Amino acid sequence: MKIILLGAPGAGKGTQAEKISEALNIPQISTGNIIREALKSGSEVGLKAKEFIESGRLVPDEVVIDIIKDRIAKDDCANGFILDGFPRTIAQAEALDSMGISIDRVLDINVADEVIASRLSGRRVCEACGSSYHIEFKKPAVDGVCDKCGGTLIQRKDDHPDTVADRLKVYHEQTEPLKEYYKNKGKLRVVEGQDSVEQTTYLTFCALED
Ligand code: AP5
């Protein structure tokens, strides 16, 4: 199954992508994680993306489209994948179409802007493996330490309140039009994401079966 997860920053795309990936045994492809890894390694892609990601703006389409082309060509994508954070512009969606990729479902995780602020200010991520936690809603077993790899949990630079406001603005202007794009193709399902992770996961799987 080939799935796209849409939604504002902090709506819970990464959280739900992980659940779907485990249940369906298909890879979660997070362009945000790939770009952050590239930044950490100091690669050319990382250097190109740095100023954009840190200020909450979108990385240029051509950079992200190349990342996706390479990633979905890998063997582990043969039975499907979950795109978490891609496409984010109409140009990116058109590029995906022109690669001949037929998407089965597009889930839009719907969360109000006011809720987003508290989700992102409380998020902590593992410096080493990128796993995501929340100081209230998804606590690690030991404070400040990743359950999966023992790495240190830190706050993402772009989760500071000023940058979150910019990311939301970018989302409404450039990414939200994708809802209409996929609605017109009959692929869009809306998942209410305001409640607990468990409830959202339940609704996510209902939407996949619908
Ligand atoms: P990216 O990493 O994709 O960030 P994002 O879309 O802003 O999404 P987030 O990772 O912030 O949130 P999420 O929806 O995955 O929520 P999560 O599950 O973590 O992108 C970062 C940057 O990279 C972009 O700004 C851009 O610069 C660049 N980029 C990436 N892709 C690009 C593209 N295609 N084109 C151009 N540029 C691109 O949840 C958030 C928190 O809330 C967590 O702490 C979680 O535990 C908690 N939580 C989740 N669900 C619930 C719930 N139901 N109840 C309570 N808490 C919850």
Side-chain angles (χ1 to χ4, degrees):
M1 198 169 197
K2 299 187 181 79
I3 302 163
I4 289 174
L5 294 184
L6 294 179
K13 300 180 296 297
T15 302
Q16 295 307 320
E18 207 178 309
K19 309 265 184 207
I20 301 170
S21 171
E22 279 166 18
L24 303 188
N25 198 24
I26 51 175
Q28 165 189 2
I29 302 177
S30 158
T31 36
N33 285 348
I34 295 172
I35 295 166
R36 279 185 290 277
E37 278 302 311
L39 222 138
K40 243 189 344 191
S41 72
S43 71
E44 202 188 324
V45 167
L47 292 175
K48 278 188 201 160
K50 186 174 166 47
E51 59 166 300
F52 296 97
I53 194 163
E54 289 184 351
S55 64
R57 284 177 295 149
L58 294 184
V59 172
D61 286 335
E62 61 277 14
V63 175
V64 194
I65 290 165
D66 281 349
I67 289 176
I68 285 293
K69 257 189 205 154
D70 288 350
R71 182 62 188 88
I72 59 185
K74 297 211 158 106
D75 290 348
D76 64 341
C77 292
N79 294 326
F81 47 76
I82 308 144
L83 295 178
D84 160 17
F86 183 94
R88 257 179 155 98
T89 62
I90 297 286
Q92 291 178 18
E94 287 171 349
L96 194 60
D97 291 345
S98 70
M99 288 175 218
I101 305 290
S102 171
I103 297 296
D104 300 292
R105 272 283 175 276
V106 179
L107 306 187
D108 173 43
I109 305 182
N110 186 36
V111 176
D113 286 7
E114 305 78 71
V115 178
I116 295 292
S118 85
R119 293 223 183 142
L120 292 184
S121 63
R123 174 164 61 186
R124 298 293 179 269
V125 293
C126 175
E127 205 173 26
C129 75
S131 293
S132 171
Y133 298 85
H134 194 280
I135 53 172
E136 197 180 336
F137 308 123
K138 191 186 173 194
K139 294 180 182 176
V142 178
D143 239 11
V145 179
C146 178
D147 291 347
K148 289 185 186 157
C149 76
T152 305
L153 303 186
I154 55 161
Q155 186 168 33
R156 261 169 56 176
K157 268 194 183 150
D158 61 347
D159 277 351
H160 289 277
D162 288 351
T163 316
V164 168
D166 292 338
R167 285 163 68 198
L168 280 169
K169 190 164 177 279
V170 167
Y171 166 75
H172 289 303
E173 286 172 3
Q174 299 191 53
T175 306
E176 229 173 1
L178 287 173
K179 291 193 211 172
E180 198 61 23
Y181 184 87
Y182 286 112
K183 191 175 169 196
N184 290 338
K185 290 178 183 286
K187 312 257 181 192
L188 187 79
R189 301 289 182 276
V190 177
V191 172
E192 287 306 327
Q194 305 256 129
D195 286 335
S196 65
V197 171
E198 293 71 24
Q199 173 67 5
T200 307
T201 304
Y202 169 74
L203 296 174
T204 295
F205 281 90
C206 291
L208 285 179
E209 281 164 19
D210 175 23

